[in-house]
Amino acid sequence: MATRRGPRFKECRRLGVNTCGHPKALKRIDAPAFRKTHKISEYGKQLIEKQKIKAYYGIMERQLQRYFEMASKSEGKTGEALITTLECRLDNLVYRLGFANSIRMARQMVTHGHLTVDGKKITIPSQNIKVNQVISLREKSRKNEQFRKSFLTINSRALPYLQKNEDDFSGKLIAIPQRKEIPVEINDQMVVEFYSK
């Protein structure tokens, strides 16, 4: 299974947005060494927007292409459908609910079997979560201090499509995310234009 292993902070500075959620990710973005002096072409702008999606959701190129094909066949705007589908991935919701402090940690938690969906152990990070499905930390995994601390201290920014239950270390998707509610800085239309060439 392919995973993204490149330097996260360097990628955040290159893209100009904090895709990994770390408070120090953009600390040196204004340093002279990281200032962009050349003009970026239209293609370059589209490419950056596409790279942002891959960074935000921790996916590879082939996965993104598959998601785009699915989104282009759905009703409504392709860009919005693409972001909404990615937002409902299991690893992403684990991150959004605060079980993990990064998308990489969330992906590892899922593959190592620390979480259940509706009481069933799922080890596939790309699993699509449906409305009202409950994601829980397994009983034996609740003894792990890092998992407990992450879930109880990380504020999931009160996203309107998620419900968090700290008493039993669980959370659920209560509605299909609307594009304006999803906390990612991406120009969807540029991504659509990039793949439509």
Side-chain angles (χ1 to χ4, degrees):
M1 181 173 60
T3 56
R4 295 169 62 85
R5 298 179 188 273
R8 296 182 302 159
F9 288 12
K10 188 175 181 181
E11 184 175 51
C12 290
R13 287 195 300 267
R14 182 170 52 81
L15 298 174
V17 291
N18 189 351
T19 57
C20 65
H22 196 283
K24 295 182 180 178
L26 297 177
K27 193 174 179 182
R28 294 188 295 157
I29 194 168
D30 293 325
F34 301 115
R35 284 199 193 122
K36 291 177 183 162
T37 54
H38 61 280
K39 188 177 178 183
I40 303 173
S41 66
E42 194 63 28
Y43 173 80
K45 291 175 184 175
Q46 293 169 0
L47 181 63
I48 287 172
E49 296 303 317
K50 185 202 71 162
Q51 301 289 44
K52 282 183 190 177
I53 291 185
K54 289 165 63 177
Y56 269 119
Y57 294 102
I59 58 176
M60 307 298 279
E61 182 63 34
R62 287 180 68 182
Q63 287 175 296
L64 181 55
Q65 286 177 355
R66 281 201 304 272
Y67 279 115
F68 181 80
E69 287 170 14
M70 286 166 50
S72 61
K73 293 172 186 173
S74 63
E75 295 179 9
K77 294 182 178 178
T78 302
E80 290 183 9
L82 173 64
I83 303 297
T84 300
T85 304
L86 288 167
E87 192 67 18
C88 292
R89 280 172 56 104
L90 176 57
D91 58 353
N92 182 68
L93 292 180
V94 166
Y95 169 53
R96 295 276 190 238
L97 284 165
F99 287 108
N101 56 27
S102 71
I103 193 75
R104 290 184 182 185
M105 181 179 169
R107 186 182 182 91
Q108 189 175 52
M109 285 179 73
V110 174
T111 55
H112 288 192
H114 292 292
L115 296 139
T116 63
V117 176
D118 289 341
K120 184 180 178 183
K121 186 172 84 169
I122 302 289
T123 57
I124 304 167
S126 61
Q127 176 85 28
N128 186 49
I129 301 301
K130 296 180 173 62
V131 174
N132 291 326
Q133 282 193 310
V134 178
I135 303 167
S136 306
L137 192 62
R138 292 180 72 194
E139 198 70 44
K140 65 178 183 180
S141 300
R142 293 176 194 180
K143 296 172 187 173
N144 185 307
E145 192 56 38
Q146 187 179 7
F147 296 164
R148 288 177 61 86
K149 187 179 177 183
S150 291
F151 189 70
L152 296 174
T153 59
I154 293 176
N155 181 9
S156 57
R157 288 185 262 181
L159 294 170
Y161 50 89
L162 294 176
Q163 186 179 75
K164 187 172 176 176
N165 187 341
E166 292 185 354
D167 296 330
D168 63 355
F169 291 88
S170 69
K172 71 176 179 178
L173 183 68
I174 56 174
I176 296 293
Q178 300 299 309
R179 178 62 187 94
K180 61 186 178 184
E181 300 169 343
I182 300 172
V184 294
E185 298 174 46
I186 296 169
N187 186 328
D188 315 344
Q189 188 55 38
M190 280 196 171
V191 179
V192 174
E193 288 170 6
F194 179 89
Y195 280 117
S196 298
K197 289 182 177 177

